[in-house]
Amino acid sequence: MKIVHTIKDLQAELTALRAQGETVGLVPTMGALHAGHASLVKRSVSENGVTVVSVFVNPTQFNDKNDLVKYPRTLDADCKLLEACGATYAFAPSVEEMYPEPDTRQFSYAPLDTVMEGAFRPGHFNGVCQIVSKLFEAVKPHRAYFGEKDFQQLAIIREMVRQMQFDLEIVGCPIVREEDGLALSSRNARLSAEERENALKISQTLFKSRTFAATHTVSETLKFVEDAIAAVPGLRLEYFEIVDGNTLQKVDNWNQTSYVVGCITVFCGDVRLIDNIKYKES
């Protein structure tokens, strides 16, 4: 595996490989890689001749500057994991490389980006679209891989690709969890032992809610989850919404659509964790 730091060098490498008929897969990451990221990389390696993994903590998607400062940066460990997964290139640019001048572009994909994360983290998805579009333009991948844990992000990126007419396939990959069910996240490393135990209640509650939902209404299921999280010391629910998996708009009853997803964000101490669960999928 080769580590590349500039767009110019990366494009020179990829141009030569494309000329040999290789397909290119891209896995955008912010580093602090774990088994969830590894599953994306392995999927790309299995489906493409070349896999590029970007490792870049993107400042424009952090509406909380303290969160940006605290975000873990572990490039050496990340590169070891990527090499073990079979990645071809680790693309680790500087902020100056990706943003030689301020990016003033505004992306709007209402109503996808105005609910849930969009409502609680103003500007977050604009920053995501800025960096992901820059990566698509730099790498020109045939396929790009994103985890379904960031369910809303995946929906918005699909819409961005459609509207901007990027010639690539977006591949959504299932959530990877710890053996006990906790969704893998780079932020998990910031949890104390007690907080880690508390955080487990998030996925446990979602799994229980799926069984509960089989015999209860949407509103009853919402209350079930809200009450279960409220009962755990150290957890604070920011939101839990049950939505149409395509439009991300709230549903009132289970028969409203064939694709229903519950999306949750919970503060565990000062660590913000997200997760989701599918109630119906056609």
Side-chain angles (χ1 to χ4, degrees), residues 48-59:
N48 303 280
V50 175
T51 291
V52 178
V53 182
S54 62
V55 180
F56 179 69
V57 181
N58 176 42

Side-chain angles (χ1 to χ4, degrees), residues 64-80:
D64 181 345
K65 297 308 176 188
N66 287 329
D67 201 16
L68 172 61
V69 171
K70 291 177 183 176
Y71 199 87
R73 292 160 173 82
T74 56
L75 183 59
D76 289 346
D78 292 344
C79 287
K80 287 176 184 174

